[in-house]
Amino acid sequence: MTVLLYCFTVLIWGTTWIAISVQSEYTSPPVAIFWRMGISALLLGAILLATRKMKWLSARDHAFCLLQGATVFGINFLCFYTAAKYVNSGLECLIFSTSIFFNAINSWIFLKQRPSMNFFPAATLGVSGIFLLFSRDLLAADVDTNFLKGIGLCVLGTFAFSIGNLIGTRNQLNRLCVFTTTTYAMGYAALIMLALSLAFKLDIYPSLESAFLISLAHLAIFGSVVAFTVYFSLIGRIGSANAAYTTLLFPLVALTISTIYEGFEWTTASMAGAILIFSGVMVLFTKPGALVPRFQILSQLFSARKTS
């Protein structure tokens, strides 16, 4: 059962990126996010009410849910939905996988939790990988400013997601029901996006094109309600540390889909960059002190080959 939950989480979140790319073709980001978060909040709220698992929250807790919704489901999605016009969906997902580095930095800044000794070598691998991944575009004589804008938006969205994670950590430390806080956070995000849409006089009615409706259903039902439920169940079974490995795996799904449907072209530099990013994420997940023995073993093997 655990293996199925793990695979289900990876497959769902790995396919949401292409759905975001599809949605961005039919409507503006605030409107798309409004419908996604609105449907998700209503569905999850209905389930909690039907099962009598909706919990009472204080005014202070609601304020933190509002902040969580504004960051995780608001700014984060707004950045990635907008960036989908300029950056390949697979690359968006790969940049998002570096959120664990932002989590470590923000925990250090706001919670005074020093990162593990693995953080700096992991971050070096991650930053080097991102540079290699985009080196062809960054070093081109005629740099595409929209492409740079897309990368910047992805980084900003990842940072916002990380800030929202800190708020989620605060909620869990206060023993609040994760499903309840998530429902309210989604609802507040929907209201924020509705306010933005009305302020900028955007057409809030959804597109009736089949591609948009299918992608909306996938994002709202599977990408939000089902995926979060499965992921939290996974955490209950194997712990948050092991469940977090999904961030290492679902970019593989997104990149595969992007290669097939969006025609993403792999170069030696981009492949090396992707490998470095994955390596950095894996290093950060490795238990402190376990890296040195592994590097010593590799060094011994290399020396043995060299002398033979």
Side-chain angles (χ1 to χ4, degrees), residues 3-31:
V3 175
L4 289 177
L5 290 174
Y6 212 98
C7 293
F8 206 53
T9 302
V10 170
L11 287 174
I12 291 177
W13 277 340
T15 55
T16 55
W17 299 91
I18 189 65
I20 289 175
S21 180
V22 170
Q23 278 205 314
S24 66
E25 297 178 4
Y26 291 93
T27 189
S28 59
V31 174

Side-chain angles (χ1 to χ4, degrees), residues 3-282:
V3 175
L4 289 177
L5 290 174
Y6 212 98
C7 293
F8 206 53
T9 302
V10 170
L11 287 174
I12 291 177
W13 277 340
T15 55
T16 55
W17 299 91
I18 189 65
I20 289 175
S21 180
V22 170
Q23 278 205 314
S24 66
E25 297 178 4
Y26 291 93
T27 189
S28 59
V31 174
I33 299 169
F34 160 66
W35 284 103
R36 174 183 177 179
M37 289 297 96
I39 293 173
S40 298
L42 289 175
L43 284 175
L44 190 54
I47 293 172
L48 292 178
L49 289 173
T51 57
R52 297 182 179 181
K53 292 184 178 180
M54 180 71 81
K55 304 298 181 180
W56 179 87
L57 298 179
S58 67
R60 180 179 175 83
D61 293 332
H62 272 286
F64 279 103
C65 287
L66 174 61
L67 288 175
Q68 187 178 27
T71 51
V72 174
F73 304 119
I75 298 174
N76 170 41
F77 283 162
L78 195 59
C79 288
F80 277 102
Y81 272 71
T82 305
K85 299 177 182 179
Y86 315 117
V87 180
N88 180 281
S89 65
L91 298 183
E92 277 193 311
C93 183
L94 198 56
I95 294 176
F96 178 77
S97 70
T98 63
S99 59
I100 59 169
F101 300 123
F102 286 95
N103 288 344
I105 294 172
N106 287 329
S107 295
W108 191 4
I109 294 173
F110 297 105
L111 302 179
K112 308 303 179 184
Q113 297 177 353
R114 293 184 63 85
S116 69
M117 60 186 297
N118 295 350
F119 172 75
F120 292 103
T124 301
L125 288 171
V127 173
S128 301
I130 289 176
F131 178 79
L132 275 177
L133 191 66
F134 300 112
S135 59
R136 182 177 61 179
D137 299 279
L138 294 175
L139 299 177
D142 185 17
V143 180
D144 187 350
T145 55
N146 283 331
F147 182 76
L148 294 179
K149 177 182 177 181
I151 295 176
L153 285 170
C154 289
V155 173
L156 178 60
T158 304
F159 177 77
F161 174 82
S162 178
I163 294 295
N165 278 348
L166 289 181
I167 300 171
T169 300
R170 176 266 174 194
N171 292 338
Q172 291 185 38
L173 289 175
N174 284 271
R175 297 182 178 180
L176 300 180
C177 173
V178 175
F179 293 106
T180 298
T181 56
T182 300
T183 299
Y184 280 114
M186 288 178 173
Y188 286 131
L191 292 176
I192 292 172
M193 292 300 114
L194 176 60
L196 282 176
S197 300
L198 295 176
F200 287 96
K201 298 180 180 179
L202 302 175
D203 184 2
I204 64 172
Y205 293 99
S207 170
L208 297 180
E209 294 289 337
S210 58
F212 176 83
L213 295 177
I214 292 172
S215 63
L216 175 61
H218 179 68
L219 290 169
I221 299 173
F222 292 98
S224 298
V225 178
V226 176
F228 275 107
T229 302
V230 172
Y231 183 68
F232 290 137
S233 300
L234 192 62
I235 290 176
R237 285 174 171 266
I238 63 177
S240 59
N242 290 324
Y245 274 98
T246 54
T247 61
L248 181 64
L249 298 175
F250 68 69
L252 293 175
V253 177
L255 286 168
T256 301
I257 293 174
S258 179
T259 301
I260 297 173
Y261 292 101
E262 295 181 315
F264 175 65
E265 297 181 2
W266 288 94
T267 64
T268 302
S270 61
M271 285 190 288
I275 291 172
L276 284 178
I277 293 174
F278 285 131
S279 299
V281 175
M282 187 173 292

